[in-house]
């Protein structure tokens, strides 16, 4: 069908009146605003970094494939639950076993140290998992364990866990003041 | 058609027919409007000057049509919602509360089905299996649906419509098979890399056959007999296998992976990935990640002797 120059079939109707257009714009704006409110579901700061790397960087070349890797980290998170690490470490907060979300490492906090701890066990309760899980799984768990103290980028963390989770790692904030000494009760007081 | 051989077949088909008729009517109306607009456009003047009289004469008609159209949509949607509510209630009331049923808890995991037969009065009879359902014909089965990781969907096309399994929630479904046979179930909600290899073998059998199956499943695993089987038994008990799998009658009692007590009695391996048999077992145990990449069973790296031994032991789990 041939149309006259500069005109199309649709434009041949008289233009809409200005109030009508304004009303339409207002409705559109309202609709978009409503859409925006639906967007603020999950907010997570991706810039959070531990204040200082509390341990030296690792030497093992396998670190590169397990650290900062979202898949390996989330597999580690599953294994952490499946192998009942929470039984002693309580989602990182610590219980019978030491907490994993602070910046203290009794046996080293590098990936290979954690893997060695998992595979060979440590005195006073940490069981030996060698032969019970594969070495790859130990590396995945180590990757997750390091994320508990925010030693991994916040953008590789997996979605919220379904189970109860620990609070934010203390390593993400400056350490608070240590309590004054007279508030502490220690062996000295007992001697007196 | 969904649910043809199941409890809700008739009710569901009626609802489907209603939806089909209403949707087709609306489609026909839309097409009619479109055709009318098309033909009307042919009559518009081509020189760009609006045909005021023509528009004015049609506007009241157009307004009435639009109001009618909006009302029709509202009535149609409300009606369909009401119909689906009634069908849902009808399906829920189809089983009288005093009728004897069997209770099954199905937990979907990436990428397999954990199946528990729960006997509330006799918990010692409870049975745990994987990737298979056995149902007696004509007996309603109340299926409780759970998920341990992501959203899955439970779908046995021959028996019932789909029902989602949602982590942190409990859904339920009543199955009432009315003829014997072997049916396939399938995860119907994309759940990850091996979603397609997440099948469920459903065997509907006579009550006597079902009772036999139940009795056989309740037995513990036999002790290994040959030296090769014993070596395999020791490997399974002491190494990675028992970290995730359970075998009734042995020390292996982990619940992360499927229960292996009667592994060989199932029709398939790894949720419908491989047919059950020696070849499948070898392939699966040697390299699960090669057969079904992305599943949660790790590559353990068994040497040839260990592989022979473990497979020989697993073959005794009938």
């Amino acid at each position: 069908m041939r149309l006259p120059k500069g005109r199309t079939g649709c434009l041949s109707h008289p233009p809409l009146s200005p109030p009508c257009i304004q009303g339409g714009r207002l409705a559109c704006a309202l609709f978009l605003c409503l859409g925006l409110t639906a967007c603020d579901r999950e907010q997570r700061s991706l810039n959070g970094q531990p204040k200082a790397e509390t341990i030296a960087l690792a030497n093992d070349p396998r670190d590169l494939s397990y650290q900062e890797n979202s898949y390996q980290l989330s597999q580690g998170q599953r294994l952490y639950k499946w192998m009942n690490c929470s039984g002693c470490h309580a989602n990182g907060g610590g219980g019978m076993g030491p907490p994993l979300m602070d910046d203290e490492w009794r046996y080293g906090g590098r990936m290979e140290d954690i893997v060695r701890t998992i595979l060979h066990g440590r005195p006073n309760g940490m069981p030996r998992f060698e032969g019970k899980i594969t070495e790859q799984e130990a590396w995945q768990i180590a990757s997750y364990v390091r994320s508990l103290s925010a030693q991994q980028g916040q953008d590789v963390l997996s979605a919220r866990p379904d189970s109860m989770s620990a609070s934010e790692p203390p390593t993400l904030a400056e350490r608070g003041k240590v309590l004054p000494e007279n508030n502490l009760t220690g062996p000295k007081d007992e001697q007196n | 058609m969904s649910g043809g051989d199941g409890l809700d077949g008739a009710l569901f088909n009626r609802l489907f027919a209603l939806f089909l008729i209403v949707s087709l009517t609306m489609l026909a109306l839309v097409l009619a409007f479109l055709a009318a607009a098309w033909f009307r456009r042919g009559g518009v003047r081509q020189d760009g000057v609006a045909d005021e009289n023509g528009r004015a004469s049609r506007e009241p008609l157009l307004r009435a049509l639009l109001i009618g159209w909006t009302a029709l949509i509202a009535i149609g949607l409300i009606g369909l919602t009401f119909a689906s509510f009634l069908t849902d209630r009808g399906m829920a009331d189809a089983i009288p509360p005093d009728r004897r049923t069997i209770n099954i808890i199905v937990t979907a995991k990436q990428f397999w089905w954990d199946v528990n037969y729960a006997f509330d009065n006799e918990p010692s009879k409870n049975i745990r299996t994987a990737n298979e359902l056995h149902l007696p014909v004509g007996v309603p089965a109340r299926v409780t649906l759970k998920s341990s990781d992501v959203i899955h969907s439970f779908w046995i096309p021959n028996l019932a419509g789909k029902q989602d399994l949602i982590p942190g929630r409990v859904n339920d479904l009543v199955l009432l098979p009315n003829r014997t046979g072997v049916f396939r179930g399938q995860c119907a909600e994309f759940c990850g890399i091996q979603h397609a290899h997440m099948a469920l073998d459903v065997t509907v059998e006579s009550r006597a056959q079902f009772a036999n199956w139940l009795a056989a499943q309740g037995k513990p695993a036999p002790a290994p007999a040959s030296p090769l089987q014993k070596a395999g038994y020791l490997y399974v008990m002491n190494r990675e296998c028992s970290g995730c799998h359970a075998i009734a009658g042995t020390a292996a009692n982990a619940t992360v992976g499927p229960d292996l007590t009667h592994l060989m009695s199932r029709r398939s391996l790894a949720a419908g990935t491989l047919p059950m048999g020696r070849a499948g077992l070898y392939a699966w145990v040697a390299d699960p990640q090669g057969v079904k990449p992305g599943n949660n069973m790790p590559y353990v790296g068994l040497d040839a002797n260990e592989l022979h031994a473990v497979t020989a032991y697993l073959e005794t789990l009938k």
Side-chain angles (χ1 to χ4, degrees):
Chain A
M1 190 170 70
R2 201 181 140 269
L3 291 169
K5 259 187 189 175
R7 288 284 179 129
T8 63
C10 306
L11 288 173
S12 61
H13 294 294
L16 289 167
S17 61
C20 186
I21 292 174
Q22 276 180 357
R25 280 182 184 160
L26 197 67
C28 276
L30 268 173
F31 186 73
L32 284 176
C33 287
L34 278 175
L36 280 178
T37 57
C39 293
D40 63 343
R41 186 168 148 262
E42 185 137 13
Q43 284 192 347
R44 182 199 289 170
S45 164
L46 299 181
N47 303 324
Q49 287 292 327
K51 289 305 166 202
E53 186 74 8
T54 52
I55 47 103
L57 286 174
N59 307 316
D60 198 305
R62 279 173 292 186
D63 278 19
L64 294 173
S65 48
Y66 289 98
Q67 291 224 66
E68 304 290 333
N69 182 318
S70 202
Y71 171 73
Q72 308 288 7
L73 199 150
S74 65
Q75 286 298 98
Q77 183 173 349
R78 290 171 172 221
L79 287 159
Y80 187 91
K81 186 175 160 192
W82 288 345
M83 295 298 140
N84 195 27
C85 304
S86 288
C88 293
H89 297 285
N91 290 312
M96 192 194 290
L100 303 173
M101 50 193 274
D102 59 9
D103 56 357
E104 287 173 26
W105 300 97
R106 296 187 185 189
Y107 299 104
R110 293 178 304 176
M111 282 286 278
E112 56 257 49
D113 299 327
I114 301 171
V115 169
R116 193 170 297 123
T117 301
I118 293 169
L119 287 181
H120 300 303
R122 295 290 182 187
N124 296 329
M126 177 72 194
R128 175 191 177 97
F129 280 90
E130 192 180 31
K132 296 288 177 193
I133 59 173
T134 64
E135 206 173 329
Q136 186 193 25
E137 290 177 321
W139 279 90
Q140 289 170 338
I141 297 174
S143 179
Y144 174 64
V145 166
R146 269 177 63 74
S147 80
L148 287 173
S149 54
Q151 305 291 326
Q152 307 243 27
Q154 299 294 292
D155 51 345
V156 296
L157 298 187
S158 84
R160 292 164 300 171
D162 288 330
S163 53
M164 191 172 64
S165 60
S167 55
E168 194 170 72
T171 45
L172 269 179
E174 299 284 358
R175 301 208 93 182
K177 266 187 189 170
V178 178
L179 290 169
E181 270 188 32
N182 54 8
N183 276 359
L184 295 173
T185 51
K188 269 185 186 174
D189 304 320
E190 283 165 17
Q191 278 169 15
N192 300 336
Chain B
M1 178 65 73
S2 210
D5 295 318
L7 154 75
D8 44 24
L11 277 170
F12 189 85
N13 290 352
R14 228 159 56 202
L15 184 69
F16 186 85
L18 180 70
F19 266 73
L20 195 68
I21 291 166
V22 172
S23 311
L24 282 180
T25 312
M26 295 305 259
L27 179 70
L29 281 173
V30 169
L31 288 179
F33 273 117
L34 200 65
W38 181 266
F39 286 118
R40 180 171 172 251
R41 199 181 147 208
V44 168
R45 285 170 58 173
Q46 293 289 310
D47 57 4
V49 178
D51 188 355
E52 294 290 340
N53 291 335
R55 273 181 64 78
S57 63
R58 281 167 188 231
E59 243 165 25
L61 173 67
L62 199 61
R63 182 160 295 150
L65 275 175
L66 279 175
I67 290 170
W69 177 241
T70 312
L72 199 61
I73 289 174
I75 291 167
L77 285 179
I78 291 168
L80 288 181
T81 310
F82 196 62
S84 93
F85 172 77
L86 285 181
T87 307
D88 185 58
R89 289 298 88 205
M91 277 152 65
D93 295 339
I95 307 292
D98 54 340
R99 181 149 174 204
R100 202 165 155 269
T101 60
I102 52 171
N103 294 324
I104 306 171
I105 302 164
V106 174
T107 310
K109 304 187 175 179
Q110 282 175 325
F111 303 92
W112 59 285
W113 306 92
D114 197 355
V115 179
N116 284 277
Y117 284 74
F119 300 91
D120 293 338
N121 301 327
E122 298 158 288
S124 62
K125 278 192 173 177
N126 285 3
I127 280 167
R128 183 164 176 251
T129 180
N131 303 325
E132 61 164 3
L133 272 183
H134 280 248
L135 301 171
V137 66
V139 178
R142 290 185 193 278
V143 186
T144 307
L145 301 168
K146 299 176 181 177
S147 168
S148 75
D149 35 48
V150 298
I151 298 177
H152 302 267
S153 187
F154 181 85
W155 190 31
I156 306 165
N158 291 87
L159 296 184
K162 297 171 187 173
Q163 185 70 269
D164 278 2
L165 305 96
I166 301 165
R169 291 194 187 195
V170 177
N171 266 347
D172 47 325
L173 186 69
V174 177
L175 299 175
L176 179 50
N178 55 23
R179 72 177 170 95
T180 57
V182 178
F183 306 110
R184 184 185 161 98
Q186 171 69 37
C187 179
E189 175 86 29
F190 182 74
C191 61
I193 183 169
Q194 286 297 342
H195 162 66
H197 284 149
M198 190 169 164
L200 183 68
D201 296 312
V202 185
T203 309
V204 179
E205 54 203 357
S206 71
R207 292 189 193 195
Q209 282 171 323
F210 177 74
N212 285 342
W213 177 81
L214 215 54
Q217 295 286 310
K219 287 179 186 153
S226 74
L228 191 63
Q229 291 168 2
K230 276 179 188 157
Y233 168 81
L234 286 176
Y235 190 94
V236 169
M237 289 304 127
N238 296 323
R239 296 295 299 275
E240 289 86 350
C241 318
S242 57
C244 294
H245 293 288
I247 300 173
T250 72
N253 60 358
T255 54
V256 172
D259 189 299
L260 301 181
T261 312
H262 298 282
L263 175 71
M264 299 305 287
S265 71
R266 297 173 198 157
R267 298 186 73 249
S268 65
L269 260 174
T273 310
L274 293 169
M276 181 57 73
R278 179 173 283 178
L281 268 185
Y282 265 93
W284 178 249
V285 176
D287 185 12
Q289 293 301 321
V291 174
K292 190 175 174 182
N295 86 86
N296 285 313
M297 175 149 157
Y299 168 76
V300 176
L302 298 158
D303 68 30
N305 286 334
E306 290 166 342
L307 181 60
H308 288 312
V310 167
T311 313
Y313 174 61
L314 291 180
E315 279 185 310
T316 68
L317 304 176
K318 295 198 168 103

